[in-house]
Amino acid sequence: MAKWGEGDPRWIVEERADATNVNNWHWTERDATNWSSDKLKSLLMGVRVENEEGSGEVTEVSKVEGEASINNRKGKLIFFYEWNLQATWTGESKTGVKYKGSIDVPNLSDENEMEDLDISVSLSKDEPDTPLLALMRSTGTEKIRAVLGSYVGYLKTEFTQGMILPTANGMFQHTSQSRASVNKTQIGTSSSTPSAHAGVKIPTCKFSLKETFLTSPQELYRVFLNQEMVQAFTHAAAIVEAEKGGRFRMLDGNVIGEFQDLVPEERIVMKWRYNTWPSEHYATVTLSLSDRGSETELALCCRGVPENEEERTREGWQRHYFDSIKQTFGYGARLY
């Protein structure tokens, strides 16, 4: 089972830390430049779009210029990154005509919000006009913005492992911010719930789902805890530490969390979040498995979901978990 540890390439970094930094008092800095450069290249190279006119995709990342670092001061993580990116895209029409163009992203920075990111898409000199340029400027730009947002999510989750040390009472401190978020207004209402660790209050809700799977509780329980099976039904790389307190990261880093309680064949309780939720806010997800003879009933209870994320979270569990598990492993013919 995959574990974060010193053998992981993420730990091969320049880092200044004091081993006696029990209360996260001293300043700790980690250089994320080389890691970020590789991550940005791999994310951009996965961008591809298609419509009735043809397709377009990023085929080369020619420039990744900038730097990134993370600082820990008294349990607060502060992220600094600034990048100038250039890439090449190629397109092919349905009739087989090929095109070439460029992509420029001059201001990927912690000082700018993702929606303010400048993304310029153009055709190379002497290339004839093509509807594929409009495709790349619309859907292509959306995908590029999404993967660059994923980079920020990875930076704040995957790369920060080990930067927050236990305090004297054995608890963990963990708050994070970037320069762009320092002056953001905190969200709060009279019916809100505190966000874990960050002290931010947001309005939350809960919902429940039930589904029946044509398999045993033992096998269904394994689906959620076995890394290879998780990767199979999510169709993406995943890290799953199948133990109480173990972390998981799924769906290209869009879902992260930690297992809080595991009762084989009966119950899974986890801290669960989308990486776009307010910093450090987690929902509590409980999966209860009931043996129904030739099938297993799975009851989901999800508490602490941001109110404006209820529909997305509900649909995500139905589509990316329940329906995909049935389709991948043949545990039921009903797909919704």
Side-chain angles (χ1 to χ4, degrees):
M1 203 61 65
K3 300 283 288 184
W4 283 291
E6 294 182 355
D8 193 304
R10 292 190 292 268
W11 291 85
I12 306 174
V13 294
E14 297 178 17
E15 181 176 4
R16 297 198 300 273
D18 186 341
T20 63
N21 189 18
V22 176
N23 288 301
N24 298 284
W25 182 262
H26 303 297
W27 187 279
T28 304
E29 180 178 337
R30 181 176 290 180
D31 183 1
T33 301
N34 291 336
W35 175 89
S36 293
S37 179
D38 292 340
K39 178 64 72 175
L40 287 165
K41 288 178 182 177
S42 66
L43 289 170
L44 287 169
M45 288 296 290
V47 172
R48 186 178 189 279
V49 293
E50 185 174 5
N51 65 8
E52 66 278 0
E53 300 289 346
S55 62
E57 61 183 317
V58 176
T59 51
E60 181 186 1
V61 180
S62 55
K63 181 179 182 180
V64 181
E65 190 176 86
E67 60 183 350
S69 64
I70 307 172
N71 294 297
N72 171 17
R73 176 62 171 171
K74 296 183 181 180
K76 176 181 292 184
L77 295 183
I78 305 173
F79 299 86
F80 300 95
Y81 55 90
E82 190 165 0
W83 296 99
N84 183 350
L85 310 172
Q86 292 181 358
T88 298
W89 68 273
T90 57
E92 184 173 354
S93 70
K94 291 295 186 180
T95 59
V97 180
K98 295 185 178 181
Y99 303 88
K100 188 175 182 180
S102 61
I103 300 167
D104 288 284
V105 184
N107 66 333
L108 178 60
S109 167
D110 60 271
E111 294 185 329
N112 301 315
E113 297 297 337
M114 199 55 59
E115 58 265 26
D116 299 325
L117 191 63
D118 293 330
I119 302 175
S120 175
V121 180
S122 60
L123 275 171
S124 297
K125 187 178 180 180
D126 299 328
E127 288 283 343
D129 289 338
T130 170
L132 296 182
L133 177 59
L135 173 65
M136 287 299 296
R137 283 178 171 171
S138 56
T139 309
T141 294
E142 290 176 6
K143 284 204 170 185
I144 292 168
R145 195 181 305 277
V147 300
L148 295 179
S150 295
Y151 154 71
V152 177
Y154 282 123
L155 182 66
K156 293 183 177 182
T157 55
E158 179 180 290
F159 194 78
T160 58
Q161 300 302 319
M163 289 197 73
I164 300 297
L165 302 178
T167 60
N169 63 5
M171 302 300 290
F172 279 83
Q173 302 174 7
H174 190 175
T175 59
S176 63
Q177 68 183 119
S178 64
R179 283 176 285 186
S181 65
V182 169
N183 296 320
K184 278 215 160 192
T185 302
Q186 292 184 343
I187 306 169
T189 70
S190 58
S191 62
S192 57
T193 301
S195 176
H197 309 298
V200 178
K201 291 185 177 181
I202 63 173
T204 63
C205 64
K206 67 177 181 179
F207 66 84
S208 300
L209 292 173
K210 279 190 178 182
E211 194 66 78
T212 300
F213 296 82
L214 300 179
T215 187
S216 66
Q218 178 182 15
E219 189 64 18
L220 187 59
Y221 178 87
R222 183 167 170 260
V223 167
F224 288 96
L225 275 297
N226 181 279
Q227 181 167 300
E228 288 71 26
M229 297 181 81
V230 170
Q231 292 180 148
F233 77 75
T234 60
H235 310 291
I239 295 176
V240 180
E241 298 176 351
E243 61 187 21
K244 187 175 180 179
R247 301 184 183 95
F248 57 84
R249 180 172 63 82
M250 304 167 52
L251 294 168
D252 294 325
N254 288 308
V255 169
I256 55 178
E258 178 181 306
F259 295 111
Q260 292 187 301
D261 189 30
L262 296 174
V263 181
E265 304 178 32
E266 293 183 15
R267 186 172 65 254
I268 299 171
V269 182
M270 63 187 90
K271 288 169 52 182
W272 186 99
R273 65 178 263 118
Y274 282 119
N275 69 6
T276 54
W277 285 4
S279 180
E280 293 306 300
H281 181 84
Y282 288 83
T284 299
V285 175
T286 301
L287 301 175
S288 301
L289 288 69
S290 301
D291 193 343
R292 297 289 185 258
S294 61
E295 58 189 26
T296 299
E297 181 182 87
L298 176 61
L300 174 145
C301 179
C302 195
R303 300 174 181 269
V305 178
E307 280 187 355
N308 61 344
E309 290 284 308
E310 179 182 2
E311 183 177 355
R312 175 194 179 202
T313 305
R314 183 192 297 269
E315 291 181 354
W317 272 95
Q318 185 66 57
R319 177 182 176 187
H320 297 298
Y321 284 86
F322 296 172
D323 293 350
S324 188
I325 287 172
K326 285 187 174 186
Q327 187 174 35
T328 302
F329 303 112
Y331 292 162
R334 289 179 294 142
L335 295 176
Y336 302 98

